[in-house]
Amino acid sequence: MSFGDPNNPYGQPPQQPPPGPGYGYPQQPGAPQQGYGYPTAPPVSQPYGGGYVPTQMPGLTRAAQILLAVIAVAHVIIAGVYGKALSEWDQTMFEAGITGDAEAERYADLGKGVVVFFLGLAAVFAILGVVLLLQYAKGGNGVRVCSIVYASFAIVSGIFSLALYGLGLLIMIISILVIVFAAKRTSAEWFRRPRY
């Protein structure tokens, strides 16, 4: 029988490390703490998962904020165009000769109501855009989701305003860019960052 074989069950027992101080005795300063075979937890200063926590607004998120401002300004312009059309409505109907017939005046009033509706819609879109714009720096994930929904509705309003010197096409393109930029991971990390 050979005692040099480490797999021999009848061999000499392996060398044991010298026992440390017993329970209740102070540890020596140079001895590292044993972890019982498990890795230690990360320090408290780092977030669990090791994710990146942005301290400044990322470039894509800033671009989405600026484009959101462009959409809001475009809706202010659209509301101004509808307001100008509304202020000149009665004069235009008088010049067209619609003032004498009751049936024609009823249709003209219906058209005036449509213009008032679009004026109100453009004004509401402009106000919502400004509110979202101001929430970008301190808002949570709801601001990002509302920006995506706002830009989706802005595409629809861009379709309705295509006749306004290409302004509708500009709104549609910028709205698509806002959706893409707000849906990116860097924007999601910005809006989900911890706020202390």
Side-chain angles (χ1 to χ4, degrees):
M1 244 187 209
S2 166
F3 290 114
D5 185 17
N7 294 328
N8 184 358
Y10 301 108
Q12 291 182 352
Q15 293 286 346
Q16 297 288 331
Y23 181 76
Y25 290 99
Q27 296 283 329
Q28 293 182 7
Q33 198 88 33
Q34 296 294 325
Y36 298 108
Y38 294 103
T40 59
V44 179
S45 63
Q46 291 180 349
Y48 286 102
Y52 168 70
V53 179
T55 56
Q56 278 187 334
M57 189 182 298
L60 286 176
T61 310
R62 178 69 70 187
Q65 183 184 22
I66 292 169
L67 293 176
L68 201 65
V70 171
I71 293 172
V73 167
H75 280 98
V76 167
I77 293 170
I78 291 171
V81 168
Y82 285 137
K84 184 175 183 323
L86 191 61
S87 69
E88 298 172 353
W89 187 268
D90 291 331
Q91 181 64 27
T92 306
M93 294 302 123
F94 180 73
E95 290 173 0
I98 300 181
T99 57
D101 187 14
E103 187 73 24
E105 283 184 11
R106 191 168 51 188
Y107 284 118
D109 288 341
L110 179 67
K112 190 175 185 179
V114 169
V115 171
V116 168
F117 172 75
F118 282 133
L119 170 69
L121 192 65
V124 167
F125 263 86
I127 292 169
L128 285 176
V130 169
V131 168
L132 281 173
L133 174 72
L134 296 176
Q135 293 294 320
Y136 257 66
K138 63 181 186 264
N141 195 41
V143 174
R144 181 179 75 93
V145 172
C146 287
S147 295
I148 293 171
V149 171
Y150 174 80
S152 300
F153 281 118
I155 291 173
V156 175
S157 85
I159 291 171
F160 283 117
S161 60
L162 275 175
L164 294 175
Y165 309 108
L167 190 61
L169 183 63
L170 178 72
I171 290 174
M172 289 182 353
I173 291 170
I174 290 175
S175 299
I176 291 170
L177 289 174
V178 167
I179 291 171
V180 170
F181 291 165
K184 289 279 195 180
R185 173 173 280 178
T186 56
S187 294
E189 288 172 351
W190 169 255
F191 288 112
R192 290 182 182 150
R193 74 193 184 283
R195 291 164 185 83
Y196 299 113

